[in-house]
Amino acid sequence: MTSPTGTVPTRTAEATTGRASGGVGDSPQRPDGALKVRGEFAYSSDAWHEDMLWGTTLRSPYAHARIVSIDITEALRVPGVYAVLTHADVPGANLHGLERQDQPVLAVDVVRYHGEPVALVAADHPETARRAMRRIEVGYEVLPPVSDAEQAVHGDVPALHPGGNVVRHVRVVRGDQDATADVVVRGEYQVGMQDQAFLGPESGLAMPAEDGGVDLFVATQWLHVDQQQVCIALGLPPDKVRITLAGVGGAFGGREDLSIQVHACLLALHTGKPVKMVYNREESFYGHVHRHPATLYYEHGATHEGKLVYVRSRIYLDGGAYTSSTPAVVGNAATLGVGPYDVDNVTIDCWGAYTTNPPCGAMRGFGAVQAAFAYESQMDKLAEALGLDPVEVRLRNAMSEGSVMPTGQVVDSPAPVAELLRLVRDRSLPTNGHGESVDLRAMPGGVSNTTHAENVVRGVGYALGVKNICFSEGFDDYSTARLRLQVVGGEPAVEVHTAAVEVGQGLVTIEQQIVRTELGVERVTLRPADTTIDSAGGTSASRQTYMTGGAVLAACRAVRDRVFALARAKLGPEPTGLSLVGGKIVAATGGVLADLVDVLGGNVIDETVQWRHRPTTELDPETGQGFAHVQYGFAAHRAVVDVDVELGLVKVVELACAQDVGRAMNPKALLGQIHGGSTQGLGLAVMEEIQVSDGLIRNPSFTDYLIPTILDTPPMPVDVLELADPHAPYGLRGAGEPPAISSGPAVVAAIRAATGMALTRMPVRPEHITGTDH
Amino acid sequence: MCTTYSVTWYDTTTWYDSEEIREVDFLRPSSMAEALAAKAERPDAVPIAGGTDVMVELNFDRTRPDALLDLTGIAELAEWSDTGDGGIRLGAGVSYTRIITELGQRLPGLAMASRTVGSPQIRNRGTVGGNLGAASPAGDTHPVLLATGASVELASTRGLRTVPAEEFYVGVKRSVLAPDELITAVLLPGTTAPQQFSKIGTRNAMVIAVCSFAIALHPEQAATGNSTVGTGIGSAGPTPLRATEAERFLTAELANADQWTSPRALDDSVRRRFGDLVAAAASPIDDVRGSAAYRRHALAVLARRTLGWAWWDYCLERTSRCA
């Protein structure tokens, strides 16, 4: 690998050397915590090389158009411009994509979404690049947009891709397809397009290498899947495309697909110079995928006693212009489509569609979030039809360990759904005391002074959610960890190397904690994540603590065996039951045998382990049956809201969560995940939506794409259950996504309780509550 | 003459006809006289104070003026003073934070509006002068300036003029400000009567107005026959608007019932009628922030509520008969 001559924002030694002494179950400080709080952490956008150029991306202003001409002559004439590239300059296959390679690196003869990359410019100054970009003349012949996913699937609309407009259709059928029930409720629901809204924009630095390859420093979620796609597009073997993780400012799924990766490398190889690319906030909204908007039709049948008899549903997910993660999103929505409930008779059809809307892909809780809004709204509707309490109807149907999912999969680890719901229900409710003096900050509308408690009605709502953890449906899911144990400066030290991406969730801390616990070594250093080691899989599907945590644990065991072998060689036959504690080798009987330092001497113990979770199977293509998921994660929320029913403004007063995590590996970081996920769900419930009309994004800014501020974020009491999953390392259960699933539906349920309105669309806007949405 | 720094940047609008790299003058006057002279000489210079609007425009490459006129070196712009008749002359460069902390009692409506501006960081930088300079219909302080009968002081080397707020705004982001003029101050009448400001946003802080409304009571005008109620509507028309019909209606109601001398609780029907007239005065559009129908509906509610609060306060000051 070429050695960079400039400043490159990988994790510095200081950032990755943990001084805290916390093992598994403790909450040691993050190794990058102090740097981030002080503003000194190097994010990918801080990448710098003294000789670098700046790359920019010309994007389509249309949602759907034929490209009839591209003229770069004038752009090339601009002094300071080093390269203007189009699809013709892509040396490999001009295609990329997470699950299917169907997205052009640069558009060829058609653009299928607003913001699709068409050409690239590299110049010695970002402004020069932007100005040159404007001199590229692209001739477009505008085509009608295909804006509606349901129409795209069933309607008479032109095919946007060779195979038609269905990205994937999953049908899950189980039990009696003609079942009838005493009480039937039906509903149609919609979920808007949420954005990950990570704060660090897409950015990175590509450096051409003397061997004809390229070194890329980038903020991403999965180094190796980036590497694969860059290799295909550049026509280079993996050893010529080396990727190192640069500091990531949030991800939430939005960095799973490529952004600048191929573009920056193309420009770097073409110009022979390092090329930096950084999107601004507006471009970021065009530069990454979003959460799939959904239309969901549901019918629930139940007995008079409130036991579910059947669930039938049709779900349409708008995948936008290209495949991205849509197949997996469809799989999740279909297999998790009834929620965490026991129901014998199920018919679910779920489609992912191509449209000319912005591409949608991964975002925290994908597939499960959309389905949960519909099935939880249905459970409330059912409760109302039965005259039952919303909690009660859920308790009567809550699944548990041993339950059979609609896929036929028997749930073989704890599923404490009823217990989670009781935990949030049994919490005391926040007081409803708006006394004599009004604190505006506690009011719907906040400091904008819209109400002094007039027309403010309180509502309480509940929701449950379920999410598959790790990669599903037969995917060969693994992670790799390399550990080096040696004596450094008179004390034992471990260096951990993985390609696992830290996006802020705290995996770096977890890796250190596992090593401390397993090897009794306090000094644990993390090497920068890069592609010199095998894949760790993506930081997605709530899987890294499970998978890379599992790989580090397995590597610790391999290292420990080598230590014990060394000990045997030095100390002779040992008593049974050795362990490594506090830098000593300890026997179960007989206490401390030796110092680890003495046993190690000058030896370096170096072990690399590839680790897999238990296999899953594909879904039966006809029935959707199969052992599709490794593990299920559950959470329950209770939302308390105050609604100004006359103005339609909402203040979430409290958002309580209960979640089973199997094992709280780092309780403080876990709380952060639960609070963050709950808040992201709250945002979807009341404000977060990318507004698209005829395929055009109307609000690509933080002025008009609103995310919750601290005044929108209520107290969030949390109950954590630790019921071990016998199949998982430490019994842990992936924790990042479940809180983002049930919080939104709980908030909407609470708004319904306050207003008495049906509210079948999320996010709920003031217009919906006031009947002025026309 | 004022200090001039050269800054290099690239021009957007005239790029095709000129060199791509252009020197841009950054003018730093240290007195009002210098500033006015500079503006007279360079009417194309864009004034900048807090920079909360101008810098966004520059950073997103939406505008690249030939010159920037930095007003932060002029001490008097950042001062406020008594006008002698009970009013306040508020320098155009006084930050929102200072309005809240130093003038919260004397300019209650303006302080309320200032509290809804952006984040603390923005309030530390942003100014009423900037709000007026941008003249966006969504600017938070405009409704209050209309309702309170404020005037805008404009200066140039040609002299000083004072324009009533109502006449200041002429179109979307357009005002009567001449190219050689600077906004130097806002003149706000003194009052002890209640004022209210209320703004709709779709989150509970740091949000641009979906619509907003301000009301100011002017009991001192009861004897003059002038309007005794001032109103201002924000973000529901091409410019900030007064609801003159609503003002007339309420002025008459209050006079007929002798409410100013012996105030009593207002009938719900009066408050509703007032709200309806305010809504009717708006000409809102559908956009990403809200529907026209919602804006109209919300304005009626805001007007009714703010009238209720203001009148309640007036009653409390005069009698205890409103209960």
Side-chain angles (χ1 to χ4, degrees), chain B residues 242-278:
Chain B
R242 266 180 70 186
T244 44
E245 274 303 311
E247 292 178 11
R248 257 198 292 276
F249 160 75
L250 194 58
T251 298
E253 278 292 325
L254 296 172
N256 295 345
D258 195 27
Q259 282 274 29
W260 290 112
T261 44
S262 51
R264 300 170 305 283
L266 290 174
D267 279 352
D268 190 48
S269 62
V270 171
R271 291 189 292 128
R272 284 186 185 277
R273 178 75 184 138
F274 178 71
D276 292 344
L277 288 170
V278 167

mmCIF file of all heavy atoms in Angstrom, chain B residues 242-278:
data_model
loop_
_atom_site.group_PDB
_atom_site.id
_atom_site.type_symbol
_atom_site.label_atom_id
_atom_site.label_comp_id
_atom_site.label_asym_id
_atom_site.label_seq_id
_atom_site.Cartn_x
_atom_site.Cartn_y
_atom_site.Cartn_z
ATOM 1 N N ARG B 242 -50.498 43.336 7.051
ATOM 2 C CA ARG B 242 -51.381 43.754 8.144
ATOM 3 C C ARG B 242 -52.775 43.212 7.856
ATOM 4 O O ARG B 242 -53.175 43.100 6.691
ATOM 5 C CB ARG B 242 -51.456 45.275 8.205
ATOM 6 C CG ARG B 242 -50.458 45.893 9.163
ATOM 7 C CD ARG B 242 -50.588 47.399 9.165
ATOM 8 N NE ARG B 242 -51.824 47.865 9.796
ATOM 9 C CZ ARG B 242 -52.186 49.139 9.796
ATOM 10 N NH1 ARG B 242 -51.434 50.052 9.209
ATOM 11 N NH2 ARG B 242 -53.301 49.513 10.393
ATOM 12 N N ALA B 243 -53.506 42.929 8.905
ATOM 13 C CA ALA B 243 -54.893 42.502 8.733
ATOM 14 C C ALA B 243 -55.767 43.708 9.072
ATOM 15 O O ALA B 243 -56.292 43.835 10.193
ATOM 16 C CB ALA B 243 -55.211 41.321 9.635
ATOM 17 N N THR B 244 -55.905 44.603 8.111
ATOM 18 C CA THR B 244 -56.543 45.891 8.421
ATOM 19 C C THR B 244 -58.026 45.736 8.738
ATOM 20 O O THR B 244 -58.546 46.439 9.600
ATOM 21 C CB THR B 244 -56.342 46.879 7.256
ATOM 22 O OG1 THR B 244 -56.588 46.196 6.030
ATOM 23 C CG2 THR B 244 -54.932 47.414 7.239
ATOM 24 N N GLU B 245 -58.700 44.841 8.042
ATOM 25 C CA GLU B 245 -60.120 44.610 8.340
ATOM 26 C C GLU B 245 -60.292 44.150 9.785
ATOM 27 O O GLU B 245 -61.191 44.599 10.504
ATOM 28 C CB GLU B 245 -60.706 43.560 7.395
ATOM 29 C CG GLU B 245 -61.205 44.103 6.080
ATOM 30 C CD GLU B 245 -62.263 45.183 6.270
ATOM 31 O OE1 GLU B 245 -63.206 44.945 7.052
ATOM 32 O OE2 GLU B 245 -62.113 46.260 5.672
ATOM 33 N N ALA B 246 -59.434 43.253 10.179
ATOM 34 C CA ALA B 246 -59.501 42.729 11.547
ATOM 35 C C ALA B 246 -59.235 43.851 12.550
ATOM 36 O O ALA B 246 -59.891 43.942 13.594
ATOM 37 C CB ALA B 246 -58.491 41.600 11.719
ATOM 38 N N GLU B 247 -58.266 44.700 12.223
ATOM 39 C CA GLU B 247 -57.964 45.824 13.107
ATOM 40 C C GLU B 247 -59.168 46.753 13.240
ATOM 41 O O GLU B 247 -59.537 47.175 14.344
ATOM 42 C CB GLU B 247 -56.758 46.621 12.568
ATOM 43 C CG GLU B 247 -55.441 45.865 12.634
ATOM 44 C CD GLU B 247 -54.287 46.680 12.048
ATOM 45 O OE1 GLU B 247 -54.473 47.884 11.783
ATOM 46 O OE2 GLU B 247 -53.208 46.098 11.855
ATOM 47 N N ARG B 248 -59.773 47.059 12.087
ATOM 48 C CA ARG B 248 -60.933 47.959 12.093
ATOM 49 C C ARG B 248 -62.083 47.376 12.916
ATOM 50 O O ARG B 248 -62.700 48.036 13.732
ATOM 51 C CB ARG B 248 -61.414 48.205 10.656
ATOM 52 C CG ARG B 248 -60.990 49.568 10.108
ATOM 53 C CD ARG B 248 -61.835 49.955 8.912
ATOM 54 N NE ARG B 248 -61.582 49.113 7.764
ATOM 55 C CZ ARG B 248 -60.582 49.312 6.905
ATOM 56 N NH1 ARG B 248 -59.743 50.320 7.083
ATOM 57 N NH2 ARG B 248 -60.410 48.522 5.868
ATOM 58 N N PHE B 249 -62.332 46.098 12.674
ATOM 59 C CA PHE B 249 -63.418 45.415 13.379
ATOM 60 C C PHE B 249 -63.213 45.490 14.896
ATOM 61 O O PHE B 249 -64.105 45.882 15.653
ATOM 62 C CB PHE B 249 -63.497 43.959 12.917
ATOM 63 C CG PHE B 249 -64.234 43.063 13.872
ATOM 64 C CD1 PHE B 249 -65.631 43.103 13.957
ATOM 65 C CD2 PHE B 249 -63.539 42.198 14.718
ATOM 66 C CE1 PHE B 249 -66.318 42.295 14.843
ATOM 67 C CE2 PHE B 249 -64.219 41.391 15.619
ATOM 68 C CZ PHE B 249 -65.609 41.435 15.682
ATOM 69 N N LEU B 250 -62.013 45.156 15.307
ATOM 70 C CA LEU B 250 -61.770 45.095 16.740
ATOM 71 C C LEU B 250 -61.732 46.492 17.358
ATOM 72 O O LEU B 250 -62.230 46.704 18.472
ATOM 73 C CB LEU B 250 -60.455 44.350 17.019
ATOM 74 C CG LEU B 250 -60.228 43.922 18.466
ATOM 75 C CD1 LEU B 250 -61.361 43.016 18.955
ATOM 76 C CD2 LEU B 250 -58.895 43.191 18.612
ATOM 77 N N THR B 251 -61.154 47.439 16.635
ATOM 78 C CA THR B 251 -61.147 48.819 17.116
ATOM 79 C C THR B 251 -62.577 49.289 17.389
ATOM 80 O O THR B 251 -62.866 49.872 18.445
ATOM 81 C CB THR B 251 -60.465 49.747 16.082
ATOM 82 O OG1 THR B 251 -59.115 49.329 15.925
ATOM 83 C CG2 THR B 251 -60.496 51.203 16.548
ATOM 84 N N ALA B 252 -63.454 48.996 16.455
ATOM 85 C CA ALA B 252 -64.853 49.404 16.613
ATOM 86 C C ALA B 252 -65.517 48.674 17.781
ATOM 87 O O ALA B 252 -66.198 49.284 18.608
ATOM 88 C CB ALA B 252 -65.609 49.132 15.315
ATOM 89 N N GLU B 253 -65.298 47.391 17.851
ATOM 90 C CA GLU B 253 -65.885 46.593 18.939
ATOM 91 C C GLU B 253 -65.474 47.142 20.308
ATOM 92 O O GLU B 253 -66.282 47.303 21.201
ATOM 93 C CB GLU B 253 -65.423 45.136 18.835
ATOM 94 C CG GLU B 253 -66.196 44.289 17.851
ATOM 95 C CD GLU B 253 -67.630 44.048 18.301
ATOM 96 O OE1 GLU B 253 -67.859 43.918 19.521
ATOM 97 O OE2 GLU B 253 -68.523 44.020 17.430
ATOM 98 N N LEU B 254 -64.173 47.405 20.429
ATOM 99 C CA LEU B 254 -63.662 47.842 21.724
ATOM 100 C C LEU B 254 -64.174 49.238 22.072
ATOM 101 O O LEU B 254 -64.486 49.534 23.224
ATOM 102 C CB LEU B 254 -62.127 47.819 21.716
ATOM 103 C CG LEU B 254 -61.514 46.419 21.531
ATOM 104 C CD1 LEU B 254 -60.004 46.506 21.341
ATOM 105 C CD2 LEU B 254 -61.847 45.524 22.718
ATOM 106 N N ALA B 255 -64.285 50.084 21.059
ATOM 107 C CA ALA B 255 -64.765 51.434 21.300
ATOM 108 C C ALA B 255 -66.248 51.420 21.672
ATOM 109 O O ALA B 255 -66.671 52.039 22.648
ATOM 110 C CB ALA B 255 -64.539 52.298 20.058
ATOM 111 N N ASN B 256 -67.042 50.681 20.903
ATOM 112 C CA ASN B 256 -68.482 50.626 21.139
ATOM 113 C C ASN B 256 -68.815 50.132 22.536
ATOM 114 O O ASN B 256 -69.750 50.588 23.170
ATOM 115 C CB ASN B 256 -69.177 49.723 20.112
ATOM 116 C CG ASN B 256 -69.069 50.307 18.711
ATOM 117 O OD1 ASN B 256 -68.740 51.484 18.562
ATOM 118 N ND2 ASN B 256 -69.312 49.483 17.708
ATOM 119 N N ALA B 257 -68.057 49.170 22.985
ATOM 120 C CA ALA B 257 -68.362 48.583 24.291
ATOM 121 C C ALA B 257 -67.621 49.300 25.415
ATOM 122 O O ALA B 257 -67.619 48.833 26.547
ATOM 123 C CB ALA B 257 -68.001 47.110 24.271
ATOM 124 N N ASP B 258 -66.973 50.402 25.065
ATOM 125 C CA ASP B 258 -66.214 51.162 26.064
ATOM 126 C C ASP B 258 -65.211 50.276 26.802
ATOM 127 O O ASP B 258 -64.991 50.409 27.993
ATOM 128 C CB ASP B 258 -67.176 51.819 27.069
ATOM 129 C CG ASP B 258 -66.458 52.901 27.881
ATOM 130 O OD1 ASP B 258 -65.470 53.473 27.359
ATOM 131 O OD2 ASP B 258 -66.875 53.130 29.029
ATOM 132 N N GLN B 259 -64.640 49.387 26.068
ATOM 133 C CA GLN B 259 -63.764 48.387 26.684
ATOM 134 C C GLN B 259 -62.456 48.989 27.206
ATOM 135 O O GLN B 259 -61.877 48.463 28.146
ATOM 136 C CB GLN B 259 -63.425 47.300 25.652
ATOM 137 C CG GLN B 259 -64.541 46.289 25.447
ATOM 138 C CD GLN B 259 -64.470 45.172 26.468
ATOM 139 O OE1 GLN B 259 -64.005 45.366 27.584
ATOM 140 N NE2 GLN B 259 -64.966 44.010 26.093
ATOM 141 N N TRP B 260 -61.981 50.048 26.572
ATOM 142 C CA TRP B 260 -60.658 50.540 26.979
ATOM 143 C C TRP B 260 -60.683 51.105 28.385
ATOM 144 O O TRP B 260 -59.719 50.946 29.136
ATOM 145 C CB TRP B 260 -60.155 51.602 25.998
ATOM 146 C CG TRP B 260 -59.803 51.004 24.665
ATOM 147 C CD1 TRP B 260 -60.437 51.195 23.485
ATOM 148 C CD2 TRP B 260 -58.733 50.075 24.402
ATOM 149 N NE1 TRP B 260 -59.852 50.462 22.486
ATOM 150 C CE2 TRP B 260 -58.793 49.759 23.028
ATOM 151 C CE3 TRP B 260 -57.747 49.489 25.192
ATOM 152 C CZ2 TRP B 260 -57.910 48.880 22.424
ATOM 153 C CZ3 TRP B 260 -56.851 48.625 24.588
ATOM 154 C CH2 TRP B 260 -56.937 48.323 23.224
ATOM 155 N N THR B 261 -61.799 51.775 28.743
ATOM 156 C CA THR B 261 -61.833 52.352 30.086
ATOM 157 C C THR B 261 -62.314 51.345 31.122
ATOM 158 O O THR B 261 -61.846 51.352 32.250
ATOM 159 C CB THR B 261 -62.723 53.601 30.110
ATOM 160 O OG1 THR B 261 -63.916 53.331 29.386
ATOM 161 C CG2 THR B 261 -61.994 54.782 29.484
ATOM 162 N N SER B 262 -63.244 50.500 30.730
ATOM 163 C CA SER B 262 -63.665 49.472 31.696
ATOM 164 C C SER B 262 -63.652 48.098 31.025
ATOM 165 O O SER B 262 -64.670 47.604 30.556
ATOM 166 C CB SER B 262 -65.066 49.779 32.239
ATOM 167 O OG SER B 262 -65.962 50.016 31.168
ATOM 168 N N PRO B 263 -62.458 47.562 30.930
ATOM 169 C CA PRO B 263 -62.298 46.318 30.172
ATOM 170 C C PRO B 263 -62.984 45.121 30.820
ATOM 171 O O PRO B 263 -62.990 44.979 32.037
ATOM 172 C CB PRO B 263 -60.782 46.115 30.129
ATOM 173 C CG PRO B 263 -60.256 46.893 31.284
ATOM 174 C CD PRO B 263 -61.189 48.045 31.498
ATOM 175 N N ARG B 264 -63.590 44.330 29.971
ATOM 176 C CA ARG B 264 -64.218 43.081 30.405
ATOM 177 C C ARG B 264 -63.766 41.975 29.442
ATOM 178 O O ARG B 264 -63.246 42.258 28.369
ATOM 179 C CB ARG B 264 -65.748 43.213 30.344
ATOM 180 C CG ARG B 264 -66.304 44.319 31.221
ATOM 181 C CD ARG B 264 -67.781 44.574 30.958
ATOM 182 N NE ARG B 264 -68.110 44.858 29.568
ATOM 183 C CZ ARG B 264 -67.898 46.023 28.956
ATOM 184 N NH1 ARG B 264 -67.324 47.022 29.631
ATOM 185 N NH2 ARG B 264 -68.236 46.195 27.706
ATOM 186 N N ALA B 265 -64.022 40.773 29.833
ATOM 187 C CA ALA B 265 -63.646 39.652 28.960
ATOM 188 C C ALA B 265 -64.322 39.803 27.610
ATOM 189 O O ALA B 265 -65.462 40.259 27.514
ATOM 190 C CB ALA B 265 -64.056 38.323 29.592
ATOM 191 N N LEU B 266 -63.585 39.467 26.559
ATOM 192 C CA LEU B 266 -64.140 39.563 25.215
ATOM 193 C C LEU B 266 -65.027 38.367 24.928
ATOM 194 O O LEU B 266 -64.714 37.242 25.316
ATOM 195 C CB LEU B 266 -63.014 39.588 24.183
ATOM 196 C CG LEU B 266 -62.150 40.842 24.128
ATOM 197 C CD1 LEU B 266 -61.000 40.632 23.150
ATOM 198 C CD2 LEU B 266 -62.995 42.039 23.728
ATOM 199 N N ASP B 267 -66.126 38.646 24.254
ATOM 200 C CA ASP B 267 -66.980 37.536 23.837
ATOM 201 C C ASP B 267 -66.196 36.627 22.900
ATOM 202 O O ASP B 267 -65.393 37.088 22.086
ATOM 203 C CB ASP B 267 -68.202 38.068 23.058
ATOM 204 C CG ASP B 267 -69.265 38.563 24.003
ATOM 205 O OD1 ASP B 267 -69.103 38.340 25.229
ATOM 206 O OD2 ASP B 267 -70.216 39.195 23.521
ATOM 207 N N ASP B 268 -66.495 35.356 23.031
ATOM 208 C CA ASP B 268 -65.854 34.389 22.144
ATOM 209 C C ASP B 268 -66.138 34.736 20.680
ATOM 210 O O ASP B 268 -65.285 34.592 19.815
ATOM 211 C CB ASP B 268 -66.357 32.980 22.472
ATOM 212 C CG ASP B 268 -65.560 31.928 21.755
ATOM 213 O OD1 ASP B 268 -64.316 32.006 21.797
ATOM 214 O OD2 ASP B 268 -66.173 31.054 21.112
ATOM 215 N N SER B 269 -67.340 35.243 20.428
ATOM 216 C CA SER B 269 -67.707 35.563 19.045
ATOM 217 C C SER B 269 -66.823 36.682 18.497
ATOM 218 O O SER B 269 -66.481 36.689 17.321
ATOM 219 C CB SER B 269 -69.178 35.959 18.976
ATOM 220 O OG SER B 269 -69.396 37.125 19.750
ATOM 221 N N VAL B 270 -66.440 37.613 19.353
ATOM 222 C CA VAL B 270 -65.564 38.708 18.918
ATOM 223 C C VAL B 270 -64.185 38.160 18.563
ATOM 224 O O VAL B 270 -63.608 38.494 17.521
ATOM 225 C CB VAL B 270 -65.453 39.786 20.016
ATOM 226 C CG1 VAL B 270 -64.384 40.820 19.662
ATOM 227 C CG2 VAL B 270 -66.804 40.437 20.242
ATOM 228 N N ARG B 271 -63.682 37.301 19.430
ATOM 229 C CA ARG B 271 -62.350 36.750 19.176
ATOM 230 C C ARG B 271 -62.347 35.900 17.906
ATOM 231 O O ARG B 271 -61.417 35.939 17.121
ATOM 232 C CB ARG B 271 -61.875 35.934 20.381
ATOM 233 C CG ARG B 271 -61.588 36.831 21.605
ATOM 234 C CD ARG B 271 -60.909 36.080 22.737
ATOM 235 N NE ARG B 271 -61.812 35.102 23.324
ATOM 236 C CZ ARG B 271 -61.496 33.818 23.490
ATOM 237 N NH1 ARG B 271 -60.320 33.370 23.107
ATOM 238 N NH2 ARG B 271 -62.361 32.989 24.024
ATOM 239 N N ARG B 272 -63.422 35.160 17.728
ATOM 240 C CA ARG B 272 -63.505 34.322 16.520
ATOM 241 C C ARG B 272 -63.606 35.170 15.256
ATOM 242 O O ARG B 272 -62.967 34.879 14.243
ATOM 243 C CB ARG B 272 -64.696 33.370 16.604
ATOM 244 C CG ARG B 272 -64.411 32.216 17.524
ATOM 245 C CD ARG B 272 -65.479 31.149 17.558
ATOM 246 N NE ARG B 272 -65.106 30.185 18.579
ATOM 247 C CZ ARG B 272 -64.240 29.188 18.382
ATOM 248 N NH1 ARG B 272 -63.697 29.017 17.185
ATOM 249 N NH2 ARG B 272 -63.932 28.375 19.364
ATOM 250 N N ARG B 273 -64.415 36.210 15.335
ATOM 251 C CA ARG B 273 -64.563 37.084 14.172
ATOM 252 C C ARG B 273 -63.209 37.722 13.828
ATOM 253 O O ARG B 273 -62.823 37.799 12.659
ATOM 254 C CB ARG B 273 -65.603 38.170 14.479
ATOM 255 C CG ARG B 273 -65.816 39.181 13.381
ATOM 256 C CD ARG B 273 -66.640 38.597 12.225
ATOM 257 N NE ARG B 273 -66.764 39.550 11.130
ATOM 258 C CZ ARG B 273 -66.663 39.243 9.840
ATOM 259 N NH1 ARG B 273 -66.448 37.987 9.470
ATOM 260 N NH2 ARG B 273 -66.788 40.157 8.912
ATOM 261 N N PHE B 274 -62.513 38.129 14.866
ATOM 262 C CA PHE B 274 -61.177 38.705 14.663
ATOM 263 C C PHE B 274 -60.271 37.681 13.967
ATOM 264 O O PHE B 274 -59.594 37.995 12.982
ATOM 265 C CB PHE B 274 -60.592 39.119 16.017
ATOM 266 C CG PHE B 274 -59.209 39.689 15.945
ATOM 267 C CD1 PHE B 274 -58.980 40.943 15.398
ATOM 268 C CD2 PHE B 274 -58.122 38.977 16.446
ATOM 269 C CE1 PHE B 274 -57.687 41.479 15.337
ATOM 270 C CE2 PHE B 274 -56.838 39.497 16.391
ATOM 271 C CZ PHE B 274 -56.619 40.754 15.839
ATOM 272 N N GLY B 275 -60.290 36.467 14.468
ATOM 273 C CA GLY B 275 -59.461 35.409 13.871
ATOM 274 C C GLY B 275 -59.809 35.179 12.415
ATOM 275 O O GLY B 275 -58.928 35.066 11.550
ATOM 276 N N ASP B 276 -61.100 35.149 12.137
ATOM 277 C CA ASP B 276 -61.532 34.907 10.757
ATOM 278 C C ASP B 276 -61.069 36.032 9.838
ATOM 279 O O ASP B 276 -60.665 35.787 8.695
ATOM 280 C CB ASP B 276 -63.058 34.765 10.694
ATOM 281 C CG ASP B 276 -63.537 33.494 11.373
ATOM 282 O OD1 ASP B 276 -62.681 32.598 11.608
ATOM 283 O OD2 ASP B 276 -64.740 33.397 11.697
ATOM 284 N N LEU B 277 -61.142 37.262 10.348
ATOM 285 C CA LEU B 277 -60.727 38.400 9.518
ATOM 286 C C LEU B 277 -59.215 38.383 9.273
ATOM 287 O O LEU B 277 -58.747 38.766 8.201
ATOM 288 C CB LEU B 277 -61.166 39.712 10.168
ATOM 289 C CG LEU B 277 -62.674 39.979 10.116
ATOM 290 C CD1 LEU B 277 -63.038 41.172 10.995
ATOM 291 C CD2 LEU B 277 -63.138 40.207 8.677
ATOM 292 N N VAL B 278 -58.470 37.943 10.268
ATOM 293 C CA VAL B 278 -57.024 37.823 10.078
ATOM 294 C C VAL B 278 -56.736 36.777 9.011
ATOM 295 O O VAL B 278 -55.935 36.993 8.091
ATOM 296 C CB VAL B 278 -56.320 37.466 11.405
ATOM 297 C CG1 VAL B 278 -54.878 37.017 11.146
ATOM 298 C CG2 VAL B 278 -56.329 38.662 12.351
#
